[in-house]
Amino acid sequence: MASRLVTVGLLVAGAAARAVAPYDYIVVGSGPGGAPLAANLARAGYPTLLLEAGDDLGSNKNYSEMANFNLAANDDKSRWDFFVKHSSDQERENKYEHMTWKQPDGSFYVGLEPPEGSEQLGIYYPRSATLGGCAMHNGGVCALPADDDWDAIAESTGDETWLAKNMRQYFERIETAHYVPAGTPGHGYSGYVNVTISDPAFMQQASDVQEIASGIIGTVGGDVTRDINSLDPDRDQQTGVFGLAGHADPNGHRTGSNTYVRATLDDPAEYPLTVQLQSLVTKVLFSEDSEEPTAIGVEVLRGKSLYKADPRHDGTEGKVVQLFANKEVIVSGGTFNTPQILKLSGIGPAEELEKFDIPVVKDLPGVGERLGDNYEGGVLALASKPLNGSSGPFAVHLKTPTARKNRNIYGWCKSFSFEGFWPGFPTEYGPSQYECAFVQMNPRSQAGYVRLRSNDPQEPPEINFEFFKNGGDEDLTEMLDAAKTFRKAITSVGEPIAPFNEKHPCPGVNQNCTDAAQKEFLKLQAYSHHAASTCGIGPADDKLAVLDSKFRVHGVKNLRVVDASAFPAVPGAFPVCPVFMLAEKATDDILGDAETAPSPA
């Protein structure tokens, strides 16, 4: 593997390098979109280069062991620290309880009363720069979106390959299921993503956490072994408790983008995959000989911690290298960095590009727009005694009274604390803590944006989610109803576990908070970590669509985008497995085009 996984490489740049380009495909970014795609292309026999700005931490237990995901997300070996806005209302922003500031000594302060001289950085939104991308620091939840999410893409583009009944094959292709009987329809048993659920054995042993879980089941129904990703025509209406499926093997080892790339590099078949680390892509290169913009390669900065979001960045500028592809460039930098790369390359809103003296290659107003994310919250409470027993999380689906069509809440419950992200998160409240955290799916507002601050490729962009800008009260009503259900479920147990002292969204013991007060808390303190849709798929007559249904950038040849930014709307509750599926679909689309493409002269 070492011969083809390179920390830094020196490649000849310019026309000579282009004439002897050793790669058919260059894939930018090794997350759950780029890494599997690059591996698949190489396994199909096409020399492929995978570029990653970070290092390979796959052997580090903070990353390889799923239970350590909080350690991974706080680890400066992989962190890219983005600081975002939730709205354009600064007064509202200032009420976010976990606002992050830079103190005069350079350290972080989190809270509402920063020391004098502190600089407000924003709301913390960590991303992972390592081989495998954010699939290396996430909680690993593998949840399929509603069938309607896939069908909507088919309807908007006229491409029936996006129908849910067709997309299911990609889940079956990636999955090795350990939580359902062999042969269960709709599941796979030989894919690169091992999928397991939390051990349900805790339900067979009397304990406080078992009693609380039983109370939740008694309130909402279900079972901790129920298949949350079942192939069932009524699946998107089913509510109650389910097994929480995650992309880890039965020993708790994280599987997915990193492990698949490593397996491809290690395979005795010697597939033509090259991985180059510490390679920050700054822009896509285009042919000067084509009337239509045609991607031919990328420009890269070589070096360690070059992006300014990396907490280890020391001002190093890196060595400029140009790399060329015979067939295509695929950008898989993620929802924040893919639009940044496209804009720096001259693809994006012309007015924004001209502001930073970037030559316009293709005016695409939608690049960086329609940023969306799930809204997240939770009912966190402290029992009257330390809780005995232990369990992994189990999942809860709800369909609140004002849900539009399908179930709209994905919750996960256990004795833990999760209140969003800030440097050093989470806050631990001790052995009496219990929470049902939740995601509100299919938010009505996707009014956010990712925009350049400058033409410096090392500077993170400006990111504003514009939470609740459209349909805010409707979404908050759904979140409030979810909180009420989870509160009722958690507190259904009696003494000595109860009464509970709730931390939020209705603080205190047996309090009677108004709906308005709880909705205000949920609005001000909502958090998220599933950003999507900044380079969305859509028809050419949609001025904000960036990609066609085959992931090709509108009006540009030999350039595609394959990552969460490609979704025209946020896919379900957790995007990682849907993005793994995108990589499989893109593989089929790219290989199909390669097989029908004319041979070069």
Side-chain angles (χ1 to χ4, degrees), residues 314-336:
D314 61 4
T316 301
E317 295 183 355
K319 178 179 177 61
V320 179
V321 177
Q322 292 185 336
L323 304 167
F324 296 91
N326 296 318
K327 292 184 178 294
E328 295 188 19
V329 174
I330 301 108
V331 181
S332 301
T335 298
F336 297 160

Side-chain angles (χ1 to χ4, degrees), residues 97-420:
E97 292 178 357
H98 297 116
M99 180 62 70
T100 304
W101 307 72
K102 183 178 180 180
Q103 299 186 88
D105 66 1
S107 63
F108 291 132
Y109 168 84
V110 177
L112 300 176
E113 299 179 356
E116 185 177 352
S118 297
E119 172 192 0
Q120 187 178 91
L121 297 176
I123 297 167
Y124 189 54
Y125 203 115
R127 301 285 80 188
S128 184
T130 185
L131 184 65
C134 289
M136 294 299 288
H137 80 169
N138 66 353
V141 180
C142 182
L144 298 183
D147 287 349
D148 286 348
D149 290 2
W150 299 121
D151 292 347
I153 303 176
E155 181 177 356
S156 71
T157 62
D159 184 345
E160 293 190 352
T161 65
W162 282 96
L163 289 171
K165 63 183 180 181
N166 183 67
M167 292 301 296
R168 186 75 189 202
Q169 67 174 306
Y170 298 120
F171 180 62
E172 296 174 19
R173 187 187 297 179
I174 66 171
E175 186 187 32
T176 292
H178 296 274
Y179 61 106
V180 292
T184 300
H187 287 281
Y189 303 91
S190 59
Y192 69 89
V193 181
N194 286 265
V195 182
T196 53
I197 64 171
S198 300
D199 186 353
F202 80 98
M203 289 299 293
Q204 308 306 316
Q205 302 167 355
S207 70
D208 294 337
V209 297
Q210 186 270 351
E211 186 173 346
I212 296 173
S214 295
I216 293 171
I217 292 171
T219 302
V220 301
D223 183 87
V224 295
T225 63
R226 194 156 53 138
D227 180 6
I228 200 166
N229 292 321
S230 66
L231 181 63
D232 186 318
D234 296 322
R235 176 180 61 103
D236 299 329
Q237 303 304 316
Q238 294 172 353
T239 60
V241 170
F242 294 81
L244 189 149
H247 59 94
D249 69 18
N251 295 315
H253 298 142
R254 185 184 293 272
T255 66
S257 40
N258 181 284
T259 53
Y260 189 39
V261 167
R262 283 169 158 248
T264 302
L265 292 170
D266 286 339
D267 198 291
E270 297 187 349
Y271 297 116
L273 175 64
T274 300
V275 179
Q276 293 181 357
L277 305 172
Q278 298 182 13
S279 299
L280 179 69
V281 172
T282 62
K283 63 182 177 181
V284 178
L285 302 174
F286 297 95
S287 171
E288 298 178 356
D289 305 325
S290 304
E291 292 186 9
E292 185 177 11
T294 301
I296 58 172
V298 295
E299 187 169 278
V300 175
L301 290 178
R302 300 284 201 196
K304 190 178 183 68
S305 302
L306 295 179
Y307 200 53
K308 293 178 182 178
D310 189 321
R312 302 167 299 172
H313 178 72
D314 61 4
T316 301
E317 295 183 355
K319 178 179 177 61
V320 179
V321 177
Q322 292 185 336
L323 304 167
F324 296 91
N326 296 318
K327 292 184 178 294
E328 295 188 19
V329 174
I330 301 108
V331 181
S332 301
T335 298
F336 297 160
N337 291 97
T338 287
Q340 181 180 23
I341 291 169
L342 292 185
K343 289 180 179 184
L344 292 171
S345 306
I347 299 172
E351 183 177 355
E352 181 180 352
L353 304 184
E354 290 166 353
K355 176 182 176 182
F356 297 110
D357 298 320
I358 298 171
V360 178
V361 173
K362 179 65 179 179
D363 179 15
L364 282 181
V367 175
E369 300 300 306
R370 287 178 172 164
L371 171 65
D373 208 336
N374 303 120
Y375 303 133
E376 298 185 45
V379 176
L380 172 62
L382 307 183
S384 292
K385 63 183 289 288
L387 298 175
N388 59 48
S390 64
S391 75
F394 56 88
V396 183
H397 267 301
L398 302 177
K399 184 177 181 180
T400 63
T402 59
R404 283 161 286 181
K405 180 180 179 183
N406 300 317
R407 58 191 185 184
N408 58 332
I409 300 293
Y410 183 115
W412 60 106
C413 304
K414 65 170 291 188
S415 177
F416 80 125
S417 165
F418 180 58
E419 303 167 283

Side-chain angles (χ1 to χ4, degrees), residues 535-552:
C535 295
I537 292 169
D541 60 2
D542 177 353
K543 70 176 184 178
L544 293 182
V546 177
L547 312 175
D548 71 9
S549 67
K550 305 297 184 186
F551 304 93
R552 297 173 295 210

Side-chain angles (χ1 to χ4, degrees), residues 464-509:
N464 188 334
F465 282 91
E466 295 287 14
F467 274 6
F468 304 109
K469 185 172 184 178
N470 302 314
D473 190 64
E474 292 93 334
D475 285 338
L476 286 164
T477 296
E478 293 182 12
M479 296 178 74
L480 172 64
D481 287 336
K484 289 179 177 180
T485 298
F486 284 122
R487 179 180 300 118
K488 178 181 178 181
I490 293 171
T491 61
S492 64
V493 299
E495 296 180 350
I497 299 174
F500 284 85
N501 182 3
E502 186 172 321
K503 301 297 294 183
H504 55 69
C506 181
V509 178

